[in-house]
Amino acid sequence: MATTLPTLLPFSPPSYQRLPQRSSASHPSYLSHPSFLLLHRCSHPNEVFQALTPIIKNCLISEPFVQNKLVALFSRCGCINEAYKLFSSILYKPDELYHCLLRGHAHHSPLEESLSFYSQMRLAGVGPLVYSLTYLLKSCGDRSDLKRGKEVHSQLISNGFGSNIQAMTSVVNMYCKCRLVEDARKMFDRMPEKDLVSWNALLAGYAQNGLAKEALELVVRMQECGQRPDSITIVSALPACADLVSLRIGKSVHGFAIRAGFDTLVNISTAVVDMYSKCGSLSSARLVFDRMLVKNVVSWNSMIVGYVSCNEAGEALKLYKMFLEEGINPTDVTMMGVLQACSELSDLEEGREAHKLLVRNGLGSDTSVMNALITMYSKCKRTDLAAEVFQSLQSKSLVSWNAMILSYSQNDRPTDAVNLFFKMLKKNIRPDSFTLVSVIPALADISLPRQAKWIHGYAIRLLLDSNIFVRTALIDLYGKCGALSSARLLFDLMTERHVTTWNAMIDGYGSHGFGKMSLWLFEEMKRSPVKPSDVTFLNVLSACSHAGLVDEGKKYFRSMSEDYGFELGIDHYGAMVDLLGRSGRLEEAWSFIEQMPLKPSISIWGAMLGACKIHKNVQIGEAAAKRLFELEPEEGGYHVLLANIYASVSLWEDVARVRKMMEKQGIQKTPGYSFIEFKNQVHTFYSGMTNHPQAKQIYAKLDELIEEIRLIGYIPDKNLVRDIEDDIKETWLNSHSEKLAIAFGLINTKPGTTIQIRKNLRVCSDCHNMTKLISRSTGREIIVRDMNRFHHFKDGKCSCGDYW
């Protein structure tokens, strides 16, 4: 008899001496006793314990058949401790009793306990049976414990079961579950005989490990070898078709299932629904679903998730309501599908109802469901509710942190996103690529060059900088921090580029006013294997707008639909209105809006009003403002813009009228501020502020600069202010936030250093003119990022070409 491997013994077991077995025919009378017969009807642990009482009362507990039956029942029901206590009290232990308890251990105990009992069994002189080892192999496979699985495999070989079909099928299954499909195939090929179960085991291994093509090839091969597929085969083949998105093969498999009579099985019909959904044929999926006589929760889940994955969130919610009417309890998969549908529709009300339902059904502690809930609240613009869910999580996974960081990042709370990211790092949670892709846009929104360099270095240390999406995010970050050269360097180093990579670089050039570079890069993209997206064209149109390239913009606008077949969206029309308006073609822009096939949105009229501000067109500006006030009456920015148009042509009564209207309606103007980073600190300035530690030096520097630039043509734009004396007007203009930030930068940096400033609103005309002259008089390059774009001031010129 083969010896037991020492590695299977986690501790030294007690010595066992195998006793002679008692004849099973010694006490036949109790076999017909009602108490014993009752045991045969037990299928639940509570029933076994209830039946135990009359067994004890009738003194049957010491009878061998009763003891064996109880051990078998306790083992089958998962009551391993009770089974083992009874097992230990039995003096005469037949081999079947060992195998029965081993089976219970394999199904219900930790793997180490199962293997320990197997070792004890061998020491007691009980030889292994094929099914004993197959139980252990299944337990190793279910836990993906390759090391122990190989040990059991060696036991199987050493005990002479190497050619046994059942044993080797279990070996194939174990290697598949441990993701060693090549080793599983080797074991399969070495089998002298193979039955249908063997073929199905390898087929399932291929399908479950993402080897869909190999799975379908195996289906063909098994039929060539004379094996007819059964329902188990079909259940594995259909997901393989879905993974390959092969509707043609999927239909063939479905047809075979119908001819074989398997289509009435719930698991087959559910797999068919899932296959059609993943292949994009929702009508076929729904047809199969509606014809199912019996549906389980998995069937409903497949159809609901199918609708969501095919961007039919509304249909998913309709089906979900039908599901609830059937009285079926939802699972975690159900709720994650429903929450994703609510996310896509931004349906907060339905999402909150789903939240209540999942709590009632005990899913509130399921981390995956709660992560989906965080995402849902985020998409519904309720980061406060998302944060509540996040804080309530007892066990936060990396996905939980990523979802919350992304929630802040996408909902204009970049500082909270960055703070949460650093809190995650303090808890020694290692970020992944998704974490970086979530936090980098927040850093881009804050726009601090030093932090851009830090996160890039951190990505390198994590070995994530080569990830295409991380590098794309870094390109976008450098572009939005004013470091276009760094962005381009990263772009040029990439051997593989996603469409978003091209978009980020094209947008970077465009937002900095380098429209011709954007168009040159777009032409390069057209020659590459990567095809432009609708976002690409939006970035190209925006670049044309910032650079005043009207003819080029018109050409690409037409090309988008004529050459690429894209449907023009409201954002593309908005970019064209902005392009025409900035270039002074206001009448053409207005006519363009009137001929649009889509209803003009806030962005359309906002672009029109902004263009009227640039070109001081009161008539069209008033008309655009009227539309904006109807669409968004509480937005103060549009009122201020209209007032500035009136002020630019000295219509002070109209300015007063707009301000009075704002006051009457309680509309607040967003306060302007600018900030600059210096020595790892952010210095924020508001107009007229005097509480900065260097306030005296800042204002003195401003006075000095104004004297210098007066000599080269600076004239304050006093039309921006009224109702005060001229000298006070000039003092007020000179205390604008961006001017204070520029003066601070000049004081604290060495000559020749580029000064970079971030402003939350548009740059005013006086600040724009003054900054151009300061760049000329000081020989400095000054980069200002306002709410719309970048302005590179150098040698008295701006990259915007005054299309700002």
Side-chain angles (χ1 to χ4, degrees):
M1 186 174 65
T3 57
T4 306
L5 285 178
T7 52
L8 286 175
L9 300 175
F11 57 86
S12 298
S15 298
Y16 279 80
Q17 183 176 1
R18 197 172 173 212
L19 298 175
Q21 297 186 35
R22 198 180 206 179
S23 171
S24 61
S26 57
H27 294 288
S29 59
Y30 61 79
L31 298 179
S32 59
H33 195 283
S35 300
F36 180 77
L37 294 176
L38 185 63
L39 286 177
H40 288 279
R41 307 184 67 87
C42 295
S43 59
H44 190 273
N46 290 340
E47 295 174 353
V48 179
F49 284 113
Q50 290 172 0
L52 189 60
T53 302
I55 290 288
I56 295 173
K57 283 184 178 180
N58 289 283
C59 302
L60 299 178
I61 192 66
S62 60
E63 297 298 337
F65 277 107
V66 175
Q67 292 173 335
N68 295 349
K69 184 65 177 178
L70 282 170
V71 170
L73 284 172
F74 280 133
S75 298
R76 189 186 311 150
C77 295
C79 302
I80 303 300
N81 289 335
E82 288 77 4
Y84 193 76
K85 287 177 183 177
L86 186 57
F87 172 83
S88 300
S89 69
I90 299 173
L91 293 178
Y92 301 99
K93 298 181 178 70
D95 289 0
E96 292 78 7
L97 203 59
Y98 282 92
H99 295 299
C100 182
L101 189 53
L102 177 63
R103 180 178 183 179
H105 272 301
H107 284 306
H108 302 290
S109 297
L111 182 58
E112 289 296 329
E113 289 185 21
S114 302
L115 296 175
S116 175
F117 182 75
Y118 173 74
S119 298
Q120 295 173 18
M121 184 177 87
R122 297 304 311 277
L123 288 174
V126 180
L129 298 177
V130 169
Y131 67 80
S132 301
L133 294 172
T134 59
Y135 296 151
L136 292 176
L137 281 169
K138 183 180 185 303
S139 186
C140 293
D142 290 343
R143 294 161 178 79
S144 299
D145 193 326
L146 180 62
K147 178 176 179 294
R148 293 301 192 185
K150 286 184 174 181
E151 291 175 358
V152 177
H153 182 193
S154 69
Q155 284 285 296
L156 188 146
I157 299 299
S158 62
N159 281 280
F161 300 127
S163 59
N164 182 280
I165 295 179
Q166 181 184 357
M168 293 310 297
T169 299
S170 295
V171 170
V172 169
N173 186 55
M174 184 273 295
Y175 280 117
C176 286
K177 288 184 176 179
C178 291
R179 306 189 68 81
L180 292 179
V181 187
E182 289 186 6
D183 289 352
R185 183 59 189 257
K186 289 176 183 177
M187 296 300 108
F188 177 82
D189 290 340
R190 290 173 187 172
M191 292 173 65
E193 293 183 26
K194 306 175 184 72
D195 60 9
L196 184 57
V197 179
S198 311
W199 287 93
N200 284 344
L202 184 60
L203 171 61
Y206 278 136
Q208 292 167 5
N209 284 280
L211 299 171
K213 183 181 177 184
E214 290 81 353
L216 295 179
E217 288 173 350
L218 192 69
V219 174
V220 176
R221 177 65 179 156
M222 68 183 287
Q223 292 179 85
E224 291 173 349
C225 292
Q227 293 289 347
R228 180 175 174 81
D230 64 359
S231 63
I232 306 300
T233 315
I234 303 303
V235 167
S236 296
L238 285 167
C241 298
D243 288 346
L244 292 174
V245 197
S246 178
L247 185 60
R248 182 182 63 82
I249 300 176
K251 285 182 175 180
S252 298
V253 176
H254 184 198
F256 179 89
I258 293 172
R259 292 192 297 275
F262 299 144
D263 58 315
T264 57
L265 300 175
V266 176
N267 60 339
I268 294 290
S269 296
T270 299
V272 170
V273 169
D274 183 67
M275 180 274 296
Y276 279 126
S277 297
K278 288 178 178 175
C279 290
S281 183
L282 281 178
S283 58
S284 299
R286 186 59 188 263
L287 186 63
V288 174
F289 178 81
D290 289 339
R291 288 180 176 177
M292 290 176 68
L293 299 177
V294 179
K295 303 180 182 78
N296 58 21
V297 67
V298 182
S299 313
W300 288 91
N301 289 348
S302 295
M303 196 67 242
I304 290 170
V305 172
Y307 274 127
V308 175
S309 62
C310 291
N311 300 316
E312 293 285 351
E315 291 298 320
L317 290 184
K318 287 180 185 177
L319 190 65
Y320 165 64
K321 290 175 182 177
M322 292 172 58
F323 166 84
L324 295 179
E325 290 171 0
E326 293 288 326
I328 307 172
N329 288 327
T331 65
D332 56 341
V333 177
T334 317
M335 298 316 301
M336 285 191 286
V338 169
L339 289 170
Q340 187 178 347
C342 295
S343 298
E344 297 297 327
L345 296 172
S346 297
D347 191 337
L348 179 61
E349 183 179 354
E350 195 66 50
R352 298 189 82 162
E353 288 299 318
H355 186 180
K356 294 175 185 176
L357 179 63
L358 69 88
V359 171
R360 288 198 301 270
N361 282 273
L363 296 171
S365 59
D366 188 301
T367 305
S368 297
V369 173
M370 300 309 276
N371 292 342
L373 192 59
I374 291 171
T375 301
M376 184 275 294
Y377 281 132
S378 170
K379 292 288 183 69
C380 293
K381 309 297 182 185
R382 289 299 302 270
T383 52
D384 55 329
L385 297 177
E388 286 180 14
V389 174
F390 178 76
Q391 294 299 335
S392 70
L393 282 173
Q394 296 296 318
S395 176
K396 297 180 178 71
S397 66
L398 178 59
V399 177
S400 311
W401 289 92
N402 289 348
M404 196 63 235
I405 291 170
L406 185 63
S407 175
Y408 284 136
S409 186
Q410 291 180 337
N411 285 282
D412 300 321
R413 295 178 61 177
T415 303
D416 291 325
V418 174
N419 288 341
L420 188 64
F421 173 70
F422 284 116
K423 184 178 180 181
M424 183 184 107
L425 297 185
K426 286 181 180 178
K427 291 184 176 292
N428 295 319
I429 300 172
R430 184 183 175 87
D432 62 2
S433 59
F434 191 86
T435 317
L436 296 186
V437 170
S438 299
V439 76
I440 288 174
L443 292 169
D445 196 44
I446 297 171
S447 191
L448 296 175
R450 187 185 296 269
Q451 288 193 348
K453 292 177 181 178
W454 178 85
I455 196 71
H456 186 187
Y458 187 58
I460 292 171
R461 293 194 295 276
L462 292 175
L463 303 178
L464 294 174
D465 61 306
S466 59
N467 178 282
I468 189 169
F469 297 107
V470 172
R471 186 162 289 190
T472 297
L474 288 169
I475 290 170
D476 183 63
L477 171 62
Y478 276 122
K480 288 177 178 173
C481 288
L484 266 182
S485 57
S486 297
R488 185 56 195 259
L489 180 61
L490 278 180
F491 181 84
D492 290 339
L493 288 173
M494 294 179 72
T495 55
E496 179 187 1
R497 299 181 183 121
H498 190 264
V499 63
T500 55
T501 314
W502 289 92
N503 291 349
M505 198 66 242
I506 290 170
D507 182 56
Y509 279 126
S511 63
H512 283 263
F514 305 124
K516 291 186 178 180
M517 278 299 300
S518 284
L519 300 188
W520 179 85
L521 194 63
F522 176 61
E523 293 299 327
E524 283 290 306
M525 179 186 186
K526 288 163 65 176
R527 290 189 285 271
S528 77
V530 181
K531 300 301 178 185
S533 67
D534 57 337
V535 177
T536 313
F537 278 96
L538 183 61
N539 292 339
V540 168
L541 293 174
S542 179
C544 292
S545 177
H546 288 312
L549 303 173
V550 179
D551 293 336
E552 291 86 344
K554 287 182 175 181
K555 181 186 75 172
Y556 289 120
F557 183 77
R558 290 192 300 269
S559 174
M560 182 179 170
S561 56
E562 294 175 2
D563 300 332
Y564 291 88
F566 286 119
E567 184 177 346
L568 296 165
I570 195 69
D571 291 334
H572 301 99
Y573 284 102
M576 278 302 295
V577 171
D578 192 56
L579 169 62
L580 295 171
R582 284 177 186 271
S583 62
R585 304 185 186 189
L586 298 176
E587 296 289 347
E588 186 179 349
W590 188 269
S591 176
F592 180 83
I593 294 173
E594 290 180 330
Q595 295 173 17
M596 277 173 51
L598 304 176
K599 184 179 179 180
S601 65
I602 291 173
S603 62
I604 299 288
W605 296 117
M608 193 75 246
L609 185 62
C612 292
K613 164 64 173 64
I614 295 172
H615 300 287
K616 303 179 182 180
N617 190 307
V618 176
Q619 183 181 359
I620 298 179
E622 286 179 330
K626 181 181 178 182
R627 305 295 200 289
L628 285 166
F629 297 161
E630 291 171 355
L631 293 170
E632 197 168 2
E634 296 181 358
E635 174 54 51
Y638 301 129
H639 291 78
V640 173
L641 205 52
L642 179 60
N644 288 342
I645 293 173
Y646 288 137
S648 67
V649 292
S650 301
L651 294 176
W652 301 114
E653 290 183 3
D654 291 312
V655 172
R657 177 173 55 81
V658 174
R659 289 178 178 171
K660 187 175 181 179
M661 180 172 61
M662 291 177 65
E663 185 178 347
K664 184 179 179 180
Q665 297 179 8
I667 299 172
Q668 297 291 323
K669 176 186 175 182
T670 304
Y673 64 85
S674 302
F675 60 82
I676 181 172
E677 185 184 21
F678 177 66
K679 289 187 176 179
N680 211 27
Q681 285 189 327
V682 177
H683 295 260
T684 304
F685 296 90
Y686 293 88
S687 294
M689 70 178 291
T690 57
N691 58 353
H692 190 275
Q694 292 182 276
K696 288 184 179 180
Q697 298 97 306
I698 289 170
Y699 280 102
K701 184 66 176 178
L702 273 176
D703 290 339
E704 177 188 324
L705 287 170
I706 290 168
E707 290 302 319
E708 289 179 6
I709 63 177
R710 280 186 192 278
L711 299 175
I712 54 175
Y714 172 63
I715 301 174
D717 188 358
K718 297 178 183 178
N719 284 331
L720 295 175
V721 192
R722 71 169 301 234
D723 295 336
I724 54 177
E725 300 297 327
D726 281 359
D727 56 339
I728 299 176
K729 285 183 181 180
E730 190 169 338
T731 301
W732 186 84
L733 285 172
N734 293 342
S735 65
H736 279 192
S737 64
E738 51 264 60
K739 293 172 184 172
L740 299 177
I742 289 170
F744 173 84
L746 291 170
I747 292 169
N748 291 284
T749 59
K750 296 177 181 180
T753 305
T754 299
I755 296 172
Q756 190 162 333
I757 292 165
R758 178 81 158 87
K759 183 174 173 61
N760 69 321
L761 302 176
R762 296 170 185 259
V763 175
C764 80
S765 58
D766 186 72
C767 290
H768 191 268
N769 293 332
M770 185 174 175
T771 307
K772 285 199 295 184
L773 295 172
I774 290 174
S775 71
R776 178 179 169 186
S777 68
T778 61
R780 298 282 197 112
E781 181 178 2
I782 302 172
I783 302 173
V784 178
R785 179 185 174 187
D786 67 9
M787 65 182 296
N788 288 330
R789 59 168 301 152
F790 279 88
H791 300 263
H792 288 253
F793 298 96
K794 188 174 182 181
D795 299 327
K797 296 178 182 179
C798 179
S799 62
C800 72
D802 293 341
Y803 288 100
W804 55 279

